[in-house]
Amino acid sequence: MPTVPTDPPSRRGQDGPRSRQLAIAETVIRNGSVSVEELVTLTGVSAMTIYRDLTVLEDSGVLTHHRGQVVAVASGLHEADADFRLEQSSAEKQQVAAEASTLVTSGCSLMLDDSTSGVWLLRSLADISNVTVVTNSLLGANEVTSCRGAKLMVTGGEYQAWAHSLMGPAAVRAIRSMHADLCFVSASGIFEMGCYHPYQEVVEVKRAMLDAAETKVLLLDHTKFNRRALFKFADLQEFDHVVVDSKTSPEVLRHLEETGVQVRVAQP
């Protein structure tokens, strides 16, 4: 049975249901499998409350539970719902986004994939009224439409509800017909200097965006390193900038720098 780390008292059921659900999800994903009893101890709430939280997380495609045992579903073979991913590791993603936003200049064009890191990037920009945003993400598109004067181009394609984004050949064709100053993408996992994602249709969109951009930027929080997924879409050395959060280990940073990766470490 896995040992479940104890969260600080401030996290133990006192920050509302969503904060507790995120803590549960992070624990299950980290351990692979956790019992309901362990989650009760972790959060300090009742088993009935835990089961309600598990239903929400199961609907989001994050985990599943059976006979008191909770198992992670989001993995190298599966990606969780975008609404959940937007909140997962949000502090680290905000760090990365704030650092990456310094690369954006007035009048430039940006391509953003369906990763939730791209949403945080848009939120980090002080002014998007003078940029052009190309994206297949409806979450990203909604961020842009809230700013009067910003120019938005949505790729088109087949809508994928789990990602809140547009995929498929139509999306890829639209992207390949354009050229942008900057492309910002993320990855589900980084393994042996490669960037991976569980779904081929997502990989095809990411690859098209990278090929259509002048400057390529990878947005990563530290949880992505040494995590596997099925489909490779790029090597780390292809990127002009790899932006990571401050929790990235010194060993990982040293290895990246030794292999010629252009790393930018966000400040807390």
Side-chain angles (χ1 to χ4, degrees), residues 142-209:
N142 286 337
E143 295 291 325
V144 180
T145 56
S146 64
C147 178
R148 188 174 300 175
K151 187 174 181 180
L152 170 67
M153 299 185 71
V154 181
T155 63
E158 182 181 356
Y159 176 66
Q160 298 291 337
W162 67 270
H164 297 278
S165 65
L166 303 165
M167 305 286 182
V172 171
R173 282 196 302 271
I175 293 164
R176 293 197 180 279
S177 71
M178 294 180 270
H179 185 78
D181 297 313
L182 290 154
C183 171
F184 295 91
V185 302
S186 188
S188 295
I190 303 296
F191 185 71
E192 293 185 349
M193 306 305 290
C195 306
Y196 290 84
H197 192 279
Y199 301 145
Q200 185 172 8
E201 60 187 351
V202 176
V203 164
E204 290 170 353
V205 169
K206 290 178 187 288
R207 188 65 250 174
M209 287 187 171

Side-chain angles (χ1 to χ4, degrees), residues 45 67-68 71 100 200 209 214 261:
V45 299
R67 294 186 178 179
V71 179
Q200 185 172 8
M209 287 187 171
E214 192 70 28
V261 176

